[in-house]
Structures are given as C-alpha cells and as structure tokens.
Amino acid sequence: MIRLGVESIDLIGALVAVLIYVGCILIFLARLAGKPAIEHWIGLCLTLAVIPLTYLLLAGGEYAKPPLYSVQLVLMIVFLLVAFVLDYVMRYEFRRVRWVLIPYVVLFFAATGGMIGVAGAAGPGWTYAAIALFLATGTLAFVQRAKTGL
C-alpha cells in the first residue's frame, strides 16, 4: 500500500465524504426532476467511492485511527455495496417495500452521518462543510421521498 502522511489520509477522507454527499444530493435532484437515467449513472459513479473508502479503512490501522473511524467507513462501504446489489445487480424495486426500505434508510443515515466524522478528521472547516452537506442530503431525501415516493 502507498504510504501517505496522516494529513493526506484525512484530506482524502474529507474529499470522499464531500463527494458522497454531493453525489447523494445530485441523485435526489435527478429523482425530483424525473431523470432516472441520470440518477442511475450518478449512483453507479457513487459506488466507486468504495475504492478510496477501503483504502482509508486499511490505512486507518496504520495511523492508529480510533475504532469509531473504522465503524464509520465500514457503514458507508456496506451501504454502497447494499445499494449496488439492490439497484444494479438485483434491480429490485425495494423503495416501495417498507420492510426493506426502513433498514435501508437507517443504514443510509448512519453511513452518511458517519462521513461527518471522517471529514472532520481533516479539521473543523471540513466538519462544518460535511454537516451542511449532510443536512442538505437529509432534507432532500425526505423532500424527494414525499414528492416521488422513491
């Protein structure tokens, strides 16, 4: 594995967290605009975040990151993999099935909320940006659900 300084690792984490939030916001906006093809491609691109998140998880042990850091990364990796399997592999319309949707939404908010901590490792400015983006993501999630049912 390429050895970077802890500041570089923290910056990568912050950038990935921000990109995840932006990706989620764009997905919700595409749903609101009735553009499923755009939503599809953004979601597929968002899945690629598994690669740097996995790197951060492996590097976290090397830099003695606290256990919560690993939990936050694992939650996001698991969420992205679950979303990929349900949306792209199985092509399952789970957003209309309440018993699947509720755990999925809980995992989504746990994973995206955890990204605040990952971004926060890079400093307070990243924490504030992540909090603002998390709130925007959460708001849009509920707005688009109410308007589209997805």
Side-chain angles (χ1 to χ4, degrees):
M1 178 171 17
I2 299 171
R3 181 139 170 90
L4 300 172
V6 70
E7 296 85 14
S8 297
I9 295 297
D10 292 341
L11 182 59
I12 290 169
L15 290 171
V16 171
V18 166
L19 289 173
I20 288 170
Y21 289 129
V22 170
C24 290
I25 288 167
L26 291 173
I27 286 171
F28 296 141
L29 291 173
R31 281 188 195 150
L32 284 167
K35 305 285 186 184
I38 294 173
E39 171 192 348
H40 176 84
W41 286 105
I42 295 169
L44 203 51
C45 291
L46 191 58
T47 303
L48 295 174
V50 167
I51 296 166
L53 291 170
T54 302
Y55 173 77
L56 292 170
L57 182 62
L58 297 173
E62 216 173 301
Y63 292 100
K65 293 284 188 184
L68 181 58
Y69 183 82
S70 295
V71 170
Q72 292 163 329
L73 292 170
V74 167
L75 280 169
M76 182 51 74
I77 291 167
V78 168
F79 169 74
L80 291 171
L81 293 175
V82 165
F84 178 76
V85 168
L86 290 174
D87 279 331
Y88 299 94
V89 176
M90 295 175 59
R91 297 175 190 221
Y92 181 56
E93 288 293 327
F94 68 93
R95 288 175 183 85
R96 300 192 192 279
V97 181
R98 184 165 287 191
W99 69 269
V100 179
L101 181 64
I102 291 171
Y104 179 84
V105 170
V106 169
L107 181 59
F108 170 77
F109 279 104
T112 55
M115 289 293 94
I116 295 171
V118 173
W126 289 102
T127 302
Y128 300 135
I131 290 169
L133 289 168
F134 174 76
L135 292 173
T137 301
T139 301
L140 276 171
F142 286 109
V143 168
Q144 70 84 34
R145 172 75 178 167
K147 293 199 181 268
T148 67
L150 298 176

